DNA sequence: CCAGTGAATATTCAAGATTATATTCATAAT
DNA sequence: ATTATGAATATAATCTTGAATATTCACTGG
């Protein structure tokens, strides 16, 4: 009997969940294929029917985490009562908070980040794209409400993202305290807003 | 005969120059105290009369490099004919160009950056301070010329710096091409300027 | 066939031995 | 007295090798 795509995807997801848990807690290096396999009641060999290799698991895992993050942020931003300005601020503060909290809770994640940053830059590009899309949505909304006056929403979204990168990438942890980060984030948002505003 | 401070400083500088050359070309790990010593015609042991240890040499070296960079950028920015807007743009583009070129010419420098980023965060803070000071000067000048309308120059300088960090730290090399970086830098500057402008 | 496995092999990791280098120190030269 | 050094020691990098782990493969039960 041939397994349906759904069944395969289901199993892939189970594997990814198990792997994610172990990567977060013990780090990439310290989790073995055998352990992941045991978590989902199969042999290590059989994992290779679902993934090319260990690194692939890590990559799909990271991809999934980033998507989750993006979804979370998108939801936080889409609060009905929010103005575009509030949305932009929420975007930055939620990104920042998510980054800081995740890093505090699972320091081992830096291993995955390093892996993805060195090889697999395409994933990072995808993440940037996703973030820009959210920003673009906010900008377009701001144009509608009259809060903003943005000519080229796509181009500007990537510009805004570039100026917010300090709060979107966990590369600067340790240089500033959470409070400092938050204050800086608010200040940058204020400045950006005044640049985006219809005068 | 007691050596004057000037003589000591002169020798320290010679040592730093030699060390810098080797660090740049061969990296921190692959240059030995003996080699640096030979370059300035003394024994390795004698280096310790001028520096606590090897890491100290690296730190003072980095400090020097950063100061040089800051001075270079400050000079580029202070061109007499320049408006504040032009100065801000020059600031960013010069920072970016310096970073990219240096990294291309001396890839081994990443070793020093890593060292300084991990231990010696105070150096990084100093660098940030120096950059902010230059920005503050530009902002104050913009207030004078009427181009800008910045209430708190100090606070805003650090905000502007935060939004320009992508172009000021060599952490994102490889993610974007030089051309992409430059375009993004220009776009961010445009956006910032419109936020800083007197309306 | 297809999902799955245990055993075989390739690769990576880690502990210990070895070597190179950083750092100290007793002493020499000036 | 101060600058400097060579030799001694401490520390860190490198290499080696056995063990752990990733990956492949021939095979098994459905």
């Amino acid at each position: 009997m041939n397994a349906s795509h759904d069944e395969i995807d289901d199993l892939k997801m189970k594997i990814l969940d198990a792997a994610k848990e172990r990567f977060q807690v013990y780090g990439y290096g310290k989790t073995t294929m055998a352990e992941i396999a045991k978590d989902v009641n199969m042999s290590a060999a059989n994992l290779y029917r679902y993934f090319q290799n260990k690194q692939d698991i890590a990559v799909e895992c990271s991809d999934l985490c980033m998507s989750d993050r993006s979804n979370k942020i998108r939801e936080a931003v889409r609060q009905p009562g929010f103005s575009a300005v509030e949305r932009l601020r929420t975007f930055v503060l939620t990104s920042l908070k998510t980054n800081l909290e995740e890093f505090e809770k699972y320091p081992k994640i830096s291993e995955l980040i390093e892996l993805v940053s060195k090889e697999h830059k395409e994933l990072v590009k995808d993440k940037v794209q996703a973030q820009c899309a959210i920003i673009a949505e906010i900008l377009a909304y701001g144009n509608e409400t009259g809060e903003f006056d943005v000519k080229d929403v796509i181009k500007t979204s990537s510009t805004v993202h570039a100026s917010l990168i300090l709060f979107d990438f966990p590369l600067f942890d340790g240089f500033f305290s959470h409070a400092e980060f938050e204050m800086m984030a608010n200040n940058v948002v204020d400045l950006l807003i005044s640049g985006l505003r219809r005068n």
Side-chain angles (χ1 to χ4, degrees), chain A:
Chain A
M1 179 57 155
N2 212 326
S4 75
H5 279 287
D6 282 356
E7 279 162 349
I8 289 179
D9 287 350
D10 219 55
L11 208 32
K12 281 190 75 168
M13 196 54 73
K14 255 190 204 155
I15 295 170
L16 286 174
D17 282 343
K20 178 183 168 189
E21 182 65 20
R22 289 205 175 258
F23 289 157
Q24 284 176 337
V25 178
Y26 305 106
Y28 178 76
K30 289 292 183 193
T31 91
T32 70
M33 291 297 267
E35 287 167 340
I36 297 172
K38 186 139 64 73
D39 289 346
V40 296
N41 301 309
M42 61 169 66
S43 66
N46 205 38
L47 288 176
Y48 290 84
R49 297 182 26 80
Y50 299 94
F51 297 92
Q52 294 275 119
N53 50 41
K54 186 182 177 186
Q55 193 165 308
D56 256 32
I57 297 181
V59 168
E60 292 207 28
C61 229
S62 304
D63 200 8
L64 218 55
C65 286
M66 289 180 186
S67 297
D68 284 354
R69 250 181 59 101
S70 287
N71 291 336
K72 202 169 137 188
I73 293 169
R74 196 179 298 108
E75 274 185 32
V77 155
R78 278 181 179 163
Q79 299 284 340
F82 276 12
S83 68
V85 166
E86 286 168 322
R87 283 174 196 213
L88 189 60
R89 191 179 306 278
T90 302
F91 172 84
V92 180
L93 294 179
T94 308
S95 296
L96 176 62
K97 196 168 151 235
T98 308
N99 266 334
L100 294 176
E101 280 175 359
E102 191 174 73
F103 219 76
E104 206 158 357
K105 193 166 176 192
Y106 304 115
K108 301 281 184 182
I109 274 194
S110 55
E111 244 180 297
L112 277 196
I113 293 173
E114 209 163 313
L115 176 68
V116 169
S117 300
K118 290 226 191 306
E119 3 262 339
H120 303 289
K121 294 210 201 300
E122 76 284 356
L123 264 198
V124 178
K125 288 251 173 184
D126 285 352
K127 187 203 156 168
V128 169
Q129 275 309 110
Q131 300 300 94
C132 285
I134 300 176
I135 295 173
E137 187 181 311
I138 299 175
L139 296 180
Y141 181 66
N143 276 344
E144 272 179 42
T145 65
E147 286 167 276
F148 297 154
D149 182 23
V150 175
K151 300 280 160 34
D152 186 337
V153 167
I154 300 302
K155 175 182 145 191
T156 306
S157 72
S158 116
T159 303
V160 169
H161 179 265
S163 58
L164 293 173
I165 205 144
L166 176 58
F167 315 110
D168 195 32
F169 273 85
L171 291 173
F172 296 89
D173 273 83
F175 281 103
F176 304 103
S177 71
H178 287 210
E180 280 175 314
F181 262 124
E182 200 171 315
M183 169 149 303
M184 287 163 73
N186 271 305
N187 290 339
V188 171
V189 170
D190 289 339
L191 181 53
L192 289 181
I193 285 168
S194 100
L196 298 166
R197 268 227 161 79
R198 179 187 303 279
N199 298 311

